[in-house]
Amino acid sequence: MFKKWKWLVAILLVAATMLVIRLEDQGVLETPVRKLVTTSADLTYLSELGQSWLNKDDATILVSSDVGQTELLTFANAEVFKEGFLLQYDMGLPVYAGKNGLVVFTGHTKYTGKTMTISYDDGTTVSYGMLDSLAQLPYTTVQANDLIGMKETGQLYISIEKDKAQYNLEQIVQWLETAESNEN
């Protein structure tokens, strides 16, 4: 019975916050509620409060799956482009970090559109371009198998560099095949 009350209180809190924000938008309230609630300290406090109410720790389910760069090996065609290759995919796929590393660039470039570059701990620097969405922010660390972006059907740009040398297609395929196994 107590858990039902927790959910009800959480729902009421969210509804009240939405109502106050709507009143602020309509000019009924002069207090800038969004500024009061959207500082990082407030958000952290609200998150911790919500988790304590809902006992999220008790509901945690560990899930394991074999994900990684191996899905990138399903490309239908490859062609040389700039310092890397355009890989053609007939279906959409998630793009995962191949190893542990640091996101050194996330943004839009003239030739490769939405692009993410990761400097992996093994010394390789990999650029993934022509992504449809990005899932990581710049200067954040990633672990092997963290989602970094999504690619719909079409071309994905990939470029790998190590020791100031660009990988050819055969080396890229080999790196994709071994990236996950090196972390496990």
Side-chain angles (χ1 to χ4, degrees):
M1 181 72 157
F2 185 66
K3 284 188 176 188
K4 288 182 183 178
W5 283 106
K6 286 182 186 181
W7 281 103
L8 181 60
V9 169
I11 290 170
L12 289 174
L13 181 63
V14 169
T17 303
M18 291 173 55
L19 175 64
V20 170
I21 288 173
R22 181 163 290 170
L23 291 173
E24 178 188 346
D25 288 343
Q26 294 174 355
V28 175
L29 291 178
E30 294 180 16
T31 305
V33 176
R34 282 194 178 102
K35 289 182 182 177
L36 296 174
V37 176
T38 58
T39 66
S40 61
D42 290 338
L43 291 175
T44 301
Y45 172 76
L46 289 175
S47 174
E48 290 171 357
L49 181 64
Q51 286 184 4
S52 70
W53 284 352
L54 300 175
N55 289 329
K56 281 292 188 185
D57 295 333
D58 297 339
T60 302
I61 300 171
L62 295 176
V63 177
S64 175
S65 71
D66 190 20
V67 298
Q69 301 284 58
T70 53
E71 282 189 306
L72 294 179
L73 293 169
T74 63
F75 60 91
N77 188 21
E79 62 183 79
V80 176
F81 184 74
K82 302 289 178 191
E83 295 84 25
F85 292 87
L86 294 176
L87 306 179
Q88 179 70 37
Y89 294 94
D90 296 331
M91 61 182 187
L93 67 147
V95 180
Y96 298 100
K99 301 174 181 270
N100 298 338
L102 175 70
V103 177
V104 295
F105 176 78
T106 300
H108 191 274
T109 70
K110 181 177 180 179
Y111 297 106
T112 60
K114 287 184 184 174
T115 302
M116 181 175 295
T117 302
I118 300 174
S119 177
Y120 288 113
D121 292 349
D122 70 346
T124 56
T125 301
V126 182
S127 291
Y128 305 87
M130 299 184 179
L131 293 165
D132 292 294
S133 65
L134 302 170
Q136 300 291 330
L137 295 172
Y139 306 109
T140 56
T141 57
V142 291
Q143 302 298 313
N145 300 327
D146 281 354
L147 180 69
I148 59 171
M150 295 295 294
K151 178 63 194 157
E152 301 301 324
T153 59
Q155 294 180 319
L156 171 75
Y157 172 78
I158 188 165
S159 169
I160 302 178
E161 179 186 319
K162 186 171 185 177
D163 299 326
K164 299 190 187 244
Q166 293 295 135
Y167 279 25
N168 62 33
L169 184 59
E170 182 179 326
Q171 291 170 311
I172 289 174
V173 168
Q174 184 179 22
W175 187 87
L176 292 172
E177 288 173 337
T178 61
E180 182 179 348
S181 63
N182 288 341
E183 285 300 317
N184 296 330

